[in-house]
Amino acid sequence: MIDVRELKDADVVVAFVEYAILVVVKMMLMSVTTAFFRIKKKAFANPEDVATVGKGEGAKKYLRTDPDVERVRRIHLNDLENIIPFLLVGFFYSFSGVSRSTALWHYRIFVVSRVFHTFAYLIPLPQPCRGLSWFIGYMVTFSMIGQLGLVYYRMP
Amino acid sequence: MIDVRELKDADVVVAFVEYAILVVVKMMLMSVTTAFFRIKKKAFANPEDVATVGKGEGAKKYLRTDPDVERVRRIHLNDLENIIPFLLVGFFYSFSGVSRSTALWHYRIFVVSRVFHTFAYLIPLPQPCRGLSWFIGYMVTFSMIGQLGLVYYRMP
Amino acid sequence: MIDVRELKDADVVVAFVEYAILVVVKMMLMSVTTAFFRIKKKAFANPEDVATVGKGEGAKKYLRTDPDVERVRRIHLNDLENIIPFLLVGFFYSFSGVSRSTALWHYRIFVVSRVFHTFAYLIPLPQPCRGLSWFIGYMVTFSMIGQLGLVYYRMP
């Protein structure tokens, strides 16, 4: 029987899993952040959720959109749009025979750029803070794609 | 040549693929559910879609949002936010050397919690039905993350 | 040590990675397309973004939704809903022992259907152009799911 940990690139793959978990946890925390802001700002999307705040006709006013809630929801969607491609590409990348230090720097910069992006979006910091942190993460994924292209397209 | 099925954790991986397929199909069915409600409620997002219902100025009134359509779209987005992290984490988890029965219970509880979540959101059932089913699935993913952390971070 | 490229289905997996990269790049380009339309149509979601266009009270009018921007955002969300399931299912499919040519046709048709879908949505082409291209991609994923089911559920 073959153990996954005997794979040639196993140490890079393990490093990838560590960073992947970090960034997945960061993305998943947006769910509770949205819930927190919905309760704090009393802005709900569903009539059955409003029932937890109040009853009767007076509760209907909490069925509304709120700028802060929408902001958190945009962060979450931006995470889905950027973190999931990173995870899919980064997984293949970890098997591509790349050196451990090159891979680690890609993973580290991406995780830091996304954590900074979240705070830049949430506070919010003046532009181009958020735009730049988004762009750095975007470029990390494209850098991995470029290296993957060189490795895979050359194969027989 | 190495066959994937000779991998050490192959039976857990195969079980993961089965449950992953189930929950991906569940998620993909939200697309046709949205289409169904858009046609049923005559609420479309694009002018070119309205042309399938009627022509001329009178058709413009179908270019609108509808509470039921928006509800289905929120289920779909909630699936993306929760099912994709489960699939990425669960994949690594299936290779972590976890026992088959522990892994299976994680996969089963997650799938059941997400199917229940969909019906609780769609009908809708009174809260905390939907909130609780969301939380159970969320906790399953975090339980896998916790176990993965113990396995991977201890490795040399 | 085991090299991933010695895996039994390695050539199908490598082909999958190539097509996966293509379709991930296509999906990621929607981010810059959204940014392009936001700047072109001067329609921003955040007050801190508006500051890049103008200052003071007059800039507030750019804090608005625009049909073209919303259209691009719907394409991006549709990509997330369809391309990510394809990538997850297609990955398992590439290890299922399927013949290289069958796998390649699934990957090719999917990529072409999604590229066509994007242009059909963006221009926009009259229906059922977009609906049909969406349906073809959807069916490719389900075809892979069907074949995976036959392979995996039969295993001991």
Side-chain angles (χ1 to χ4, degrees):
Chain A
M1 291 233 281
I2 302 156
D3 193 321
V4 177
R5 285 156 211 163
E6 289 168 20
L7 282 169
K8 202 181 151 212
D9 298 314
D11 51 345
V12 183
V13 177
V14 169
F16 169 71
V17 174
E18 292 173 3
Y19 286 98
I21 287 174
L22 270 179
V23 85
V24 164
V25 168
K26 182 251 148 290
M27 182 166 69
M28 288 180 73
L29 290 178
M30 299 319 297
S31 295
V32 285
T33 312
T34 304
F36 170 79
F37 274 93
R38 279 204 186 283
I39 291 164
K40 183 188 165 195
K41 303 297 288 278
K42 293 193 181 174
F44 298 93
N46 302 293
E48 68 268 28
D49 302 348
V50 174
T52 60
V53 182
K55 278 179 207 288
E57 281 301 307
K60 274 197 183 169
K61 67 180 177 211
Y62 301 127
L63 206 62
R64 58 190 177 95
T65 58
D66 172 85
D68 287 350
V69 172
E70 294 309 305
R71 181 176 285 273
V72 179
R73 292 183 68 213
R74 282 196 298 275
I75 303 177
H76 204 164
L77 189 56
N78 196 286
D79 276 354
L80 291 174
E81 291 167 0
N82 288 279
I83 290 176
I84 294 165
F86 165 82
L87 292 171
L88 296 166
V89 170
F91 177 70
F92 300 135
Y93 183 65
S94 72
F95 285 105
S96 69
V98 68
S99 80
R100 192 168 189 272
S101 73
T102 308
L104 281 184
W105 278 111
H106 278 78
Y107 301 156
R108 280 173 194 149
I109 294 171
F110 185 84
V111 171
V112 171
S113 77
R114 292 309 301 182
V115 171
F116 186 83
H117 177 270
T118 303
F119 284 104
Y121 214 150
L122 205 56
I123 294 174
L125 297 177
Q127 286 285 29
C129 288
R130 192 188 88 226
L132 216 60
S133 60
W134 168 82
F135 185 70
I136 290 169
Y138 197 67
M139 280 300 110
V140 167
T141 305
F142 268 111
S143 166
M144 295 194 301
I145 287 172
Q147 293 170 63
L148 265 181
L150 287 176
V151 172
Y152 279 87
Y153 285 90
R154 247 186 348 211
M155 285 178 69
Chain B
M1 292 234 280
I2 301 157
D3 193 322
V4 177
R5 284 159 213 161
E6 288 168 20
L7 282 169
K8 202 181 151 214
D9 299 314
D11 52 345
V12 182
V13 177
V14 169
F16 170 70
V17 174
E18 293 174 1
Y19 285 98
I21 288 175
L22 270 180
V23 84
V24 165
V25 168
K26 183 251 149 287
M27 182 166 68
M28 290 180 70
L29 290 179
M30 299 319 297
S31 295
V32 285
T33 311
T34 304
F36 171 78
F37 274 93
R38 279 204 185 283
I39 292 165
K40 184 189 165 194
K41 302 297 288 278
K42 293 194 179 173
F44 298 94
N46 301 292
E48 67 268 27
D49 303 347
V50 174
T52 59
V53 182
K55 278 178 205 291
E57 281 301 306
K60 274 197 182 169
K61 67 179 177 211
Y62 301 127
L63 206 62
R64 59 191 175 95
T65 58
D66 173 84
D68 287 350
V69 172
E70 295 308 306
R71 181 175 284 273
V72 179
R73 293 184 67 212
R74 282 197 298 274
I75 303 177
H76 204 164
L77 189 57
N78 195 286
D79 275 356
L80 291 174
E81 291 167 359
N82 289 279
I83 290 176
I84 295 165
F86 165 83
L87 292 171
L88 296 166
V89 170
F91 177 70
F92 300 135
Y93 183 64
S94 72
F95 284 105
S96 69
V98 67
S99 80
R100 191 167 190 272
S101 73
T102 307
L104 280 185
W105 278 111
H106 279 79
Y107 301 156
R108 278 174 195 149
I109 293 172
F110 185 84
V111 171
V112 171
S113 78
R114 292 310 300 183
V115 171
F116 186 83
H117 177 269
T118 304
F119 284 105
Y121 214 149
L122 205 56
I123 294 174
L125 298 178
Q127 286 283 31
C129 288
R130 192 189 88 226
L132 216 60
S133 59
W134 168 82
F135 185 70
I136 290 168
Y138 197 67
M139 280 299 110
V140 167
T141 305
F142 268 111
S143 166
M144 296 194 301
I145 287 172
Q147 293 170 65
L148 266 180
L150 287 178
V151 173
Y152 278 87
Y153 286 89
R154 247 186 347 209
M155 284 179 68
Chain C
M1 291 234 280
I2 302 156
D3 194 322
V4 176
R5 285 159 211 159
E6 288 168 21
L7 283 169
K8 203 181 150 210
D9 299 314
D11 53 344
V12 182
V13 176
V14 169
F16 169 71
V17 174
E18 292 174 2
Y19 285 97
I21 288 174
L22 271 180
V23 84
V24 165
V25 169
K26 182 252 149 286
M27 182 166 68
M28 288 181 72
L29 289 178
M30 299 319 296
S31 295
V32 286
T33 312
T34 304
F36 171 78
F37 274 93
R38 280 203 184 282
I39 292 164
K40 185 188 166 195
K41 304 297 289 277
K42 294 194 180 171
F44 299 93
N46 301 294
E48 68 267 28
D49 302 348
V50 174
T52 60
V53 182
K55 278 179 206 287
E57 281 302 305
K60 274 196 184 171
K61 68 180 176 211
Y62 302 126
L63 206 62
R64 59 191 176 95
T65 59
D66 173 84
D68 287 350
V69 172
E70 295 308 306
R71 182 177 284 273
V72 179
R73 293 183 69 213
R74 282 196 298 274
I75 303 177
H76 204 165
L77 189 56
N78 196 285
D79 276 356
L80 290 174
E81 291 167 359
N82 288 279
I83 290 176
I84 295 166
F86 165 82
L87 292 172
L88 296 165
V89 170
F91 176 70
F92 301 134
Y93 183 64
S94 73
F95 284 105
S96 69
V98 67
S99 79
R100 192 169 189 272
S101 73
T102 307
L104 281 184
W105 278 112
H106 278 79
Y107 301 156
R108 279 173 193 148
I109 293 171
F110 185 84
V111 172
V112 170
S113 78
R114 292 309 301 182
V115 172
F116 186 83
H117 177 270
T118 303
F119 284 104
Y121 214 149
L122 206 56
I123 295 174
L125 298 177
Q127 286 282 32
C129 288
R130 191 188 88 226
L132 216 60
S133 59
W134 168 82
F135 185 70
I136 290 167
Y138 198 68
M139 280 299 110
V140 166
T141 306
F142 268 111
S143 166
M144 295 194 301
I145 286 172
Q147 292 169 65
L148 266 180
L150 287 177
V151 173
Y152 278 86
Y153 286 90
R154 245 186 348 209
M155 284 178 67

